[in-house]
Amino acid sequence: MVDDWFEIKKRYLVKETIGSGGFGKVKRALHIATTETVAIKVMDKAKLGADLPRVKTEIKALRTLQHPHICRLYEEIETENKIFLVLEHCSGGELFDYIVEKDRLNEDEARQFFREICAAVAYMHSKGFAHRDLKPENILIDEDHRIKLIDFGLCANPDAGIESALATCCGSPAYAAPELVSGRKYIGPEADVWSLGVLLYALLNGFLPFDDDNMPTLYKKIKSGKYDEPEWLSSESKFLLATLLQVDPKKRITMRRLLSHRWLIKDHLAPVDPTSKYDDKTLDEELLTNIAIGLGWQRAEMRQELVQWKFDALTATYLLVGYLQLRRSQGKTGKIIDTVPLKDFLKGEIEKENQPVSSSTHIQRQKKITRRAVVPKDLRQQLQSSPCKNYRQPLTPQKPSRKADKNYHEVYSSSDSLDIDDILATPLKSEEEFNFQSPEPFRIRTNRGNRAQSEKQPRLHSDFDETPKSVQITRRTKTAPKDPADRYSSPAGKSKRRSKTPPISWMSPIKNQKDYCEESAPNTMLSPDRRTRSYDCNLDQIRMGAEPLTPSKKGRGIFGSLEKGIDQVRLLLTPNKKKNKDSEPRKIKAVSNVSRLTKQEPKLVLKTIHEVVSKMGVPNRVKGWVVRVQNRDNMGRIQLDFELEVCRLGGRALTSDASCGVRRHRIKGDAMLYKRMAEDILSKVLV
Ligand SMILES: Nc1ncnc2c1ncn2[C@@H]1O[C@H](COP(=O)(O)OP(=O)(O)OP(=O)(O)O)[C@@H](O)[C@H]1O
């Protein structure tokens, strides 16, 4: 049987699932040669079916669009059954979470984000692409707090030019322009500008301008163009929103004018610059030389390969090493590149015998790492056998020889010490474990629209002129808040009620009709040994004060020494991570998707979360410090899948000045539904 993961696992250490969408899953992984974290979007060709051309457009967009605010493609691998897109990893989470955490953003912060989003969208348009699915869930934040646009699965790249009329109705209804929901032909950039208006509104207010559970009512609201204007909005932001959310696309502000709108340039003194410094495909000669020396290649030969931008293993290495160099030049710390000179790092060889490190001294460990944390032996041999074409990915990978297979397992099979990432990477157990009795319908608090509904401000309606001469003032009546009961349940007939369901595509029903049943992580990721182990942290044990179970040290088998090698790489990268890895929650930077619970006992928080979720009748499972929540609809399909991880924030230890936090992470399902359920759980944990 063909192992679709073979090529990926030769160069990447695949970790946990960090996202899931209509087309497949997104996994976090480490690029072995540079130890850089990447995101791998995995799509199943069989599941794609008629949507395959859309993925081709997505790949074309990712290959073409090189911009600081667009998630970068490093490598693309197509096998018989799967398509893998290796992408820049954005560790700051979704913009959606950021808004949820902050409730709403102040105008300065919203402006900074919105400028970056506009730069990316304007750049896309200049390259002939319209995004067509702009929403906070498709905008990620990187570790430098910068915006990165993702998910080009619905983008359009019309042959006749970006200004040509499109007919395909797609995107997420709440963000869709009136001309789309009316079923008329539309111009891609005009529709994107409308979505930017919805997005800006969401940034500034924390809720959507057009929202309804009932789809026809939602469309009606969109077509009316009437929305609330909360009192906290400045008059300039109101004018800008009015020019963006202009029902007549011809009166809507154009992208070009938007870039120099006075709300956007406030305090920046310059229009948004949509050009990209990455667009220049000139190769960095110094970097090229370093990599060529490191890999033992002819420089000219390597250049010839690189200029073709094939987005293969070589492109990935070039881009990732370049990224590491850049970070080093910016004085950023924390990765292996700080301790190992780049050339040595690339030149190093994996030892034939990977002896465990006997000394605990840091320097000795570093030396070992220098030799080990490099291009895997297999890959290195391939690369050194010169022809650069070895970097090319076969469309259908050859079945690995027994020897290669063994090498692969030696390098990548599980290590004996697992951290929380390992715990997360283990697939969930079968459904029975979730006690799949139909969850009791439960009521939840809803705060959606409360603010908006308290507002009775007149709504300003203007044309695209920045200083509208005639302003039409309309008042709108409020609809009473809906009964919050059954908010989370999604009986078949009601599943469409949520207008903001995950990227709804109206192009073809296939994307929505996907079987939402979670497929477990590919078994091939894990060695058989690892798969059979249990790393569960039993709640009773926690209650009794016991530590979560640690994996058995037995059964490391013949792969032990090499596993240890890999493990030591990771040890050096995050020296503290292995200490008491399960007895204390992970230390996490206070980012947007982490709620702080000052001075609370983590074990108690974990227990309370589990109890609260269980009381709500929602299946959940505790693993280490993570409560994985999976809510299903009446058909048994996963409707919502997310994690709540108890973590610690700042400070040296939980007993001292550190405070406890809960990291929220949506894996699958409607973002708004997730927001409500997570908020509901946390509000009960906090009391
Ligand atoms: N580069 C990345 N870094 C970190 N997380 C990512 C990255 N790309 C995607 N994700 C996570 O995975 C989720 C799904 O990704 P994406 O939207 O690209 O998949 P999709 O199958 O096209 O989804 P959809 O059905 O929403 O269109 C994202 O919402 C995000 O949380």
Side-chain angles (χ1 to χ4, degrees):
M1 220 180 82
V2 176
D3 178 4
D4 290 291
W5 289 81
F6 181 72
E7 282 299 323
I8 281 287
K9 287 188 286 188
K10 263 181 5 187
R11 292 189 290 284
Y12 299 92
L13 200 58
V14 182
K15 308 285 280 182
E16 80 277 11
T17 298
I18 51 172
S20 183
F23 289 156
K25 286 185 177 186
V26 180
K27 292 198 168 269
R28 190 171 71 82
L30 293 183
H31 181 244
I32 310 262
T34 58
T35 70
E36 195 57 33
T37 303
V38 295
I40 304 182
K41 188 165 175 174
V42 190
M43 289 169 281
D44 206 320
K45 283 185 185 173
K47 282 193 192 164
L48 286 169
D51 283 324
L52 193 60
R54 268 197 259 169
V55 176
K56 297 286 173 195
T57 312
E58 176 170 17
I59 294 170
K60 186 178 173 192
L62 284 166
R63 280 170 165 264
T64 312
L65 305 172
Q66 302 284 322
H67 189 276
H69 298 302
I70 292 180
C71 183
R72 254 188 144 170
L73 175 70
Y74 294 133
E75 182 172 0
E76 177 213 336
I77 297 175
E78 184 173 349
T79 66
E80 193 170 295
N81 305 305
K82 296 200 186 290
I83 296 173
F84 299 90
L85 300 180
V86 182
L87 302 162
E88 177 180 4
H89 179 251
C90 307
S91 58
E94 294 175 10
L95 181 59
F96 178 85
D97 279 311
Y98 194 77
I99 305 172
V100 171
E101 184 57 26
K102 291 235 168 172
D103 222 16
R104 61 184 153 94
L105 308 190
N106 68 44
E107 293 212 359
D108 289 340
E109 195 172 16
R111 181 178 296 108
Q112 184 54 42
F113 279 146
F114 196 62
R115 279 177 67 93
E116 294 179 1
I117 297 164
C118 287
V121 176
Y123 167 80
M124 277 189 80
H125 293 171
S126 74
K127 295 283 167 185
F129 290 87
H131 191 283
R132 300 199 295 185
D133 197 16
L134 292 168
K135 56 180 178 179
E137 296 95 304
N138 284 339
I139 296 169
L140 303 184
I141 300 172
D142 72 3
E143 63 174 3
D144 296 323
H145 209 60
R146 291 178 316 176
I147 286 298
K148 299 278 175 180
L149 207 55
I150 59 159
D151 197 357
F152 300 88
L154 296 179
C155 78
N157 177 217
D159 292 337
I162 190 73
E163 292 299 330
S164 56
L166 303 168
T168 319
C169 201
C170 62
S172 299
Y175 295 82
E179 59 271 27
L180 261 100
V181 300
S182 307
R184 296 200 303 270
K185 287 200 168 179
Y186 64 95
I187 308 295
E190 290 174 355
D192 275 351
V193 167
W194 173 278
S195 306
L196 285 174
V198 180
L199 199 59
L200 178 62
Y201 187 98
L203 287 176
L204 292 170
N205 300 313
F207 51 88
L208 295 166
F210 313 105
D211 194 8
D212 205 280
D213 292 340
N214 179 280
M215 208 62 88
T217 313
L218 172 66
Y219 292 168
K220 228 165 141 184
K221 287 181 178 176
I222 293 170
K223 285 189 264 185
S224 78
K226 292 175 185 169
Y227 54 87
D228 294 315
E229 286 184 322
E231 100 274 27
W232 54 78
L233 289 177
S234 69
S235 55
E236 289 205 331
S237 61
K238 285 180 191 168
F239 282 133
L240 175 56
L241 285 169
T243 60
L244 290 161
L245 298 174
Q246 176 59 248
V247 174
D248 181 348
K250 298 303 163 204
K251 287 186 182 164
R252 206 172 292 153
I253 192 168
T254 60
M255 197 69 223
R256 193 178 58 78
R257 293 192 65 180
L258 175 61
L259 297 180
S260 53
H261 190 280
R262 64 166 178 258
W263 185 86
L264 269 99
I265 59 177
K266 191 174 176 219
D267 299 332
H268 289 261
L269 306 171
V272 176
D273 178 8
T275 57
S276 169
K277 59 175 188 244
Y278 298 163
D279 229 5
D280 176 13
K281 294 260 168 74
T282 325
L283 295 172
D284 177 330
E285 292 300 321
E286 195 189 327
L287 186 58
L288 192 143
T289 308
N290 281 343
I291 298 176
I293 292 171
L295 296 177
W297 278 23
Q298 292 294 317
R299 204 166 164 279
E301 195 182 23
M302 182 166 282
R303 177 188 286 107
Q304 210 179 11
E305 278 293 303
L306 276 172
V307 291
Q308 295 176 53
W309 291 96
K310 292 177 190 161
F311 291 93
D312 54 10
L314 184 58
T315 310
T317 305
Y318 173 80
L319 291 174
L320 284 162
V321 173
Y323 181 56
L324 284 173
Q325 256 191 352
L326 176 77
R327 287 209 316 198
R328 191 165 55 160
S329 72
Q330 292 171 342
K332 304 244 167 83
T333 55
K335 291 278 173 172
I336 198 162
I337 205 74
D338 295 326
T339 51
V340 183
L342 180 66
K343 280 184 190 172
D344 290 349
F345 173 69
L346 286 165
K347 264 197 234 168
E349 284 183 9
I350 288 182
E351 290 172 353
K352 274 191 182 154
E353 296 282 323
N354 280 265
Q355 299 297 330
V357 177
S358 53
S359 166
S360 58
T361 67
H362 192 59
I363 292 171
Q364 275 171 318
R365 217 187 279 138
Q366 277 183 18
K367 281 180 185 162
K368 293 234 176 240
I369 299 308
T370 311
R371 291 195 293 274
R372 285 181 181 140
V374 287
V375 186
K377 190 176 174 183
D378 250 14
L379 177 61
R380 189 174 167 75
Q381 280 166 354
Q382 259 190 43
L383 298 173
Q384 283 176 336
S385 65
S386 189
C388 300
K389 64 179 179 293
N390 279 341
Y391 258 126
R392 296 202 66 138
Q393 303 311 311
L395 278 186
T396 309
Q398 301 295 310
K399 183 171 171 27
S401 67
R402 281 179 75 89
K403 189 164 174 276
D405 206 32
K406 181 169 171 285
N407 275 344
Y408 149 69
H409 275 297
E410 282 177 359
V411 178
Y412 299 106
S413 54
S414 74
S415 65
D416 62 333
S417 65
L418 297 180
D419 56 14
I420 193 86
D421 296 330
D422 298 300
I423 294 168
L424 291 171
T426 53
L428 282 173
K429 287 182 186 167
S430 60
E431 292 184 352
E432 296 86 75
E433 195 165 329
F434 288 101
N435 301 324
F436 268 108
Q437 77 275 25
S438 286
E440 290 289 309
F442 48 87
R443 304 173 71 86
I444 68 151
R445 149 192 88 87
T446 174
N447 55 7
R448 179 170 64 87
N450 284 352
R451 277 190 303 269
Q453 281 155 8
S454 67
E455 302 304 323
K456 296 283 177 193
Q457 294 293 316
R459 175 187 157 268
L460 302 181
H461 201 86
S462 73
D463 65 15
F464 67 88
D465 198 320
E466 289 172 21
T467 43
K469 290 180 186 71
S470 64
V471 178
Q472 182 194 345
I473 300 177
T474 52
R475 285 190 185 276
R476 56 170 302 197
T477 49
K478 302 285 184 306
T479 48
K482 293 253 172 350
D483 183 350
D486 79 11
R487 263 273 189 257
Y488 305 146
S489 60
S490 178
K494 287 184 184 171
S495 60
K496 285 185 189 155
R497 287 181 56 203
R498 295 296 320 160
S499 54
K500 304 157 293 302
T501 25
I504 287 182
S505 154
W506 311 324
M507 285 205 243
S508 90
I510 291 171
K511 198 172 172 189
N512 290 324
Q513 287 172 359
K514 288 258 176 318
D515 184 355
Y516 277 84
C517 289
E518 177 88 344
E519 118 200 14
S520 49
N523 285 343
T524 47
M525 278 171 58
L526 309 168
S527 69
D529 173 34
R530 178 164 157 185
R531 261 178 278 142
T532 52
R533 291 184 201 156
S534 165
Y535 308 115
D536 290 18
C537 171
N538 182 314
L539 264 182
D540 288 333
Q541 288 169 319
I542 290 181
R543 231 172 267 136
M544 305 280 291
E547 307 302 357
L549 291 177
T550 46
S552 161
K553 294 222 185 270
K554 285 182 196 163
R556 287 180 55 213
I558 55 167
F559 305 136
S561 60
L562 275 161
E563 287 165 15
K564 214 165 186 176
I566 289 286
D567 207 41
Q568 278 152 8
V569 173
R570 297 163 63 200
L571 186 65
L572 179 71
L573 299 180
T574 49
N576 294 325
K577 206 169 171 182
K578 298 289 171 194
K579 282 187 215 156
N580 298 324
K581 57 192 168 3
D582 291 333
S583 61
E584 276 194 1
R586 213 154 54 116
K587 186 175 171 182
I588 288 180
K589 267 196 276 176
V591 284
S592 57
N593 58 342
V594 178
S595 306
R596 186 180 284 268
L597 317 169
T598 321
K599 302 278 182 199
Q600 291 212 36
E601 169 57 39
K603 284 177 186 172
L604 190 64
V605 173
L606 185 71
K607 180 174 168 274
T608 315
I609 295 175
H610 173 68
E611 283 173 0
V612 164
V613 181
S614 303
K615 264 192 201 149
M616 290 163 86
V618 180
N620 68 92
R621 181 179 183 223
V622 180
K623 225 168 194 217
W625 293 97
V626 177
V627 181
R628 177 96 175 245
V629 183
Q630 281 192 339
N631 197 33
R632 296 185 181 240
D633 63 17
N634 281 0
M635 311 285 284
R637 291 171 306 194
I638 293 175
Q639 178 201 27
L640 191 57
D641 185 356
F642 64 95
E643 294 170 346
L644 296 172
E645 178 188 352
V646 177
C647 55
R648 60 190 184 98
L649 303 164
R652 294 173 68 85
L654 281 164
T655 46
S656 61
D657 56 336
S659 58
C660 176
V662 179
R663 180 187 67 95
R664 291 168 277 108
H665 177 60
R666 180 176 64 101
I667 294 168
K668 180 180 221 160
D670 175 15
M672 288 310 224
L673 185 63
Y674 152 73
K675 172 181 184 297
R676 283 186 211 116
M677 197 189 271
E679 276 179 354
D680 200 35
I681 295 166
L682 290 179
S683 70
K684 287 173 183 147
V685 171
L686 286 166
V687 288

